[in-house]
Structure formats: structure tokens, C-alpha cells
Amino acid sequence: EVAIGYVDDGRKPVCHTYFDRGDEPTTFDKWPRIVVVVRDKGKPPARRGSLLRSLRQAVTLATTDHFSGHGAADNHYRSGFAALDQWAAQLADDARFDGREQPALDRALHANAWTYRSLADCRAAAARYLRSIGGEFPAANDRLSAAADLYDRIVGTLRTGWDNAPFEWELQGKPWTKEMRLAEADVLREALALERQAVSKIEA
């Protein structure tokens, strides 16, 4: 949301949100936990340094097993290679799906489908990005181009398994079968093998 004002002596923010219909903003009952204040425009960082940091960040996110979240020591989020590996393993774990009520299964379906499509979209974006900056690093252009090719292969691999990762409404009452989940897990493992190769090119 983007706060554009407030009412009730500052106790309730008025915001534009992604969900607004028309020009009328939304009034919230309380301020969010996090507020980012945009101030005067400053001098942009050096482009080459920013590009190098983006590549280092990509390697860090891929090779770090987990990050702690929300300040809780036991609240960990899998990252990178470890996240893909755990995702595939959980799809093959019958205990996560057998006997669950339909609302819980629908939530799992929705999260799985959303993440699957996001993975494909982000890898397509990675391929475009690496090709767009390759000319600025002549000595590394071959490696960046090879990494981009690998990300394109990941997108193609994920597309072959698209039907195994449906949103809940796409099933039209049919079950999300174990065979579909296992097939999706196989595709994710293929994507992970390509991901490791791509990141090794960036790291080099």
C-alpha cells in the first residue's frame, strides 16, 4: 500500500492499494508494522558496483540453506537449492496430503501453483537480465550467457510439468493425485540440477 493521508487524528491511514477499484482509496483501522518513507532523490549508486552486487546476491540466495524470519530463532525459511530440494521432498511425502480436509488441500494447491509459476517467471527474468548486462563484463560475458541459457532451459523444463501444479479451481473437482505430485517433484529436481549449473557460472 501507498499511504496518501490519514483520518481520525492520524490513527487511521488512507492508502492506495493493489486491490482498489476506481479512484477511491482505502482506509485502514491501524498503521502497518513497517512504514517506508520515500525522501528526496539521491545520487544513484555506480552501475557496475550495483550489477556486481546483484550477481553476488544471486549466489548468496542460492547457496544459503535458510534465513531466520520475523525475529524468531526457530522460524526458518529455506532458500535457494535447499528450498527446491525440500519442496520436491515434501511433494513426495504422503503424510502431508493424505486425510487433509479440502480447504487445507486447496491452500496447499494454491501455494504450490503460485510458487511454481513464480519460479518459472523469475528464471525467465534472470535469463533476460544476464543477457542485458553481459556486454558490460566482456571477460565474463560467455559465462553470463551460458547461465542465461540454463535459466531458459529451467523455464522450458518447468513448462513440461505445468499441468501437475494446478491451481485448485483448475482441477474442477478432480483430485491432485500422488502421481501428479511425484511428476512435479521430478521436474523440480531437474530444474534444481540446472539451477546449480547456472549459479556456478555466475559464481565463476
Side-chain angles (χ1 to χ4, degrees), residues 19-40:
F19 306 105
D20 290 342
R21 295 292 181 265
D23 295 328
E24 287 299 315
T26 301
T27 299
F28 289 87
D29 289 332
K30 58 183 179 179
W31 288 88
R33 277 192 315 116
I34 299 172
V35 175
V36 177
V37 179
V38 180
R39 298 188 182 277
D40 293 338

Side-chain angles (χ1 to χ4, degrees), residues 44-112:
R47 177 171 170 79
R48 183 178 178 84
S50 294
L51 297 178
L52 287 171
R53 282 192 295 275
S54 74
L55 297 175
R56 292 190 186 103
Q57 181 75 347
V59 173
T60 297
L61 291 173
T63 57
T64 301
D65 284 351
H66 67 265
F67 293 94
S68 297
H70 302 297
D74 60 347
N75 190 7
H76 296 301
Y77 295 89
R78 291 291 177 185
S79 177
F81 303 148
L84 280 171
D85 189 53
Q86 180 168 315
W87 185 3
Q90 288 180 341
L91 284 167
D93 181 4
D94 292 342
R96 296 182 63 85
F97 305 99
D98 291 347
R100 296 183 73 180
E101 298 292 334
Q102 194 60 47
L105 283 174
D106 285 348
R107 288 193 296 272
L109 267 164
H110 192 94
N112 179 76

